Amino acid sequence: MKKVLIAGAVALFGLSNAQIAKGTTYLSGTLNFAASEDNNTNIKQSNLTLVPTVGYFVGTNVAVGVGVGYASNVTKIDGALTDTKNTISAVVVEPFVRKYWTLGEKFYIFGQLSVPMAFGENKNEATALGITNYNKETFNSFGVSVKPGLDYFVNKNWTLEATIGDFGYSNFKYENAKSVDNYNFGLDLASVGIGVKYVFAK
């Protein structure tokens, strides 16, 4: 009976000797761009996120790394008398540690702990009668995030990965204002992130 239970466990979890070796390096990241225009309200919006990521396995199935990049959101409104433009931009830094567990020869689950940070500014421009007024505020944010995920090795160099949900805390603060705390507890399809990464196989 015990042998049957052990065999069932191996079949269920796909236990394998496939491990990700110490010293392995990978490149990944986030690239998102979106733009929209509403002719009824004369509102134009664009969003850009570009955060390259590098990871290094300091031990078998354990990686540390960091993502460094840029994010922006631009909103323009063409008014009858005044045109306005709001630009929110930030440098993004996110160090992380990731632990993998082997499910099969090419299939893994992982848990990632990261510390996302952003340092940026919120700039408003209002133009009327050829005169433009500017207003700018700086801000910063930091947090702690835990994300579970799945990773599938298509071949020795390329993988498909998906993070499922986001559990954590973040703090956002403008320079001359009180900080705002946020808590995330998400494990649903709206929180799924899918991407690829390149592994420098040893």
Side-chain angles (χ1 to χ4, degrees):
M1 184 64 180
K2 289 183 179 180
K3 292 183 179 180
V4 173
L5 291 176
I6 293 174
V10 171
L12 177 63
F13 294 106
L15 299 180
S16 170
N17 292 324
Q19 306 289 326
I20 304 175
K22 177 181 178 180
T24 301
T25 303
Y26 70 84
L27 295 177
S28 183
T30 300
L31 173 60
N32 291 316
F33 177 77
S36 64
E37 181 176 353
D38 189 330
N39 293 324
N40 294 320
T41 59
N42 294 322
I43 297 177
K44 300 178 181 179
Q45 289 187 310
S46 62
N47 295 280
L48 171 66
T49 302
L50 176 60
V51 185
T53 299
V54 60
Y56 178 79
F57 282 80
V58 295
T60 302
N61 285 1
V62 178
V64 299
V66 64
V68 179
Y70 174 81
S72 71
N73 175 277
V74 179
T75 302
K76 297 180 180 179
I77 303 176
D78 297 327
L81 300 175
T82 303
D83 297 334
T84 62
K85 179 181 178 181
N86 174 250
T87 304
I88 301 174
S89 58
V91 173
V92 178
V93 181
E94 187 169 1
F96 65 87
V97 59
R98 180 181 285 194
K99 168 64 177 176
Y100 282 81
W101 291 271
T102 307
L103 293 183
E105 184 179 356
K106 297 183 177 182
F107 193 44
Y108 302 80
I109 62 172
F110 64 82
Q112 176 173 296
L113 171 65
S114 63
V115 182
M117 296 173 281
F119 310 91
E121 64 178 25
N122 186 342
K123 182 169 67 175
N124 290 287
E125 305 172 37
T127 302
L129 301 176
I131 301 174
T132 301
N133 294 312
Y134 297 90
N135 179 45
K136 183 173 69 175
E137 292 182 284
T138 60
F139 64 86
N140 61 74
S141 69
F142 74 92
V144 177
S145 174
V146 176
K147 293 182 180 181
L150 302 171
D151 207 343
Y152 177 76
F153 276 70
V154 179
N155 55 44
K156 68 177 184 178
N157 296 117
W158 290 99
T159 83
L160 295 174
E161 69 173 44
T163 56
I164 307 169
D166 187 2
F167 303 85
Y169 160 82
S170 64
N171 176 279
F172 184 92
K173 186 182 186 305
Y174 278 106
E175 183 178 8
N176 298 311
K178 292 183 177 181
S179 61
V180 178
D181 296 323
N182 293 292
Y183 298 89
N184 299 318
F185 298 96
L187 191 62
D188 54 47
L189 293 178
S191 302
V192 173
I194 299 175
V196 298
K197 70 174 181 288
Y198 183 82
V199 179
F200 295 88
K202 300 191 68 177

